[in-house]
Amino acid sequence: MRDRIRKLIAERKVVAVDVDTLTDTSDLYEAGLSSFASIQFMLALEDEFDIEFPERMLTRKTFVSIESIDRSIAELIGEQV
């Protein structure tokens, strides 16, 4: 799943640095993720994984890193089963 997240980051150009320079725990906001870009990226994630982020997850903490995004998506996919 993290590879798919990385691919989306690269395709959508949501950060100012090359995605290959990011670790799974790198702060995406420090890498250039803006509030507007995070909304666009969230919508792309919802489309890619066929999920919907609930209001409780619409926080900076959810989208701060590839690891946190992965964990949130895993939780949502688990809830759909």
Side-chain angles (χ1 to χ4, degrees):
M1 191 161 29
R2 291 181 187 195
D3 288 339
R4 289 168 67 187
I5 295 168
R6 284 181 175 280
K7 183 179 176 195
L8 276 178
I9 290 170
E11 289 174 353
R12 301 291 176 141
K13 297 181 176 26
V14 297
V15 294
V17 300
D18 185 335
V19 71
D20 293 331
T21 66
L22 300 172
T23 67
D24 287 347
T25 58
S26 292
D27 187 315
L28 297 178
Y29 292 96
E30 287 181 9
L33 182 64
S34 67
S35 296
F36 178 74
S38 68
I39 294 167
Q40 298 300 312
F41 185 48
M42 177 199 69
L43 295 172
L45 289 165
E46 289 181 336
D47 287 344
E48 175 72 18
F49 293 97
D50 194 28
I51 57 170
E52 185 173 327
F53 287 96
E55 191 172 331
R56 68 178 171 78
M57 285 187 169
L58 301 181
T59 66
R60 182 181 178 104
K61 182 178 168 184
T62 299
F63 301 98
V64 73
S65 68
I66 293 168
E67 179 182 66
S68 63
I69 294 166
D70 179 69
R71 188 173 40 248
S72 297
I73 292 171
E75 179 183 329
L76 293 172
I77 290 172
E79 288 176 1
Q80 291 178 357
V81 176

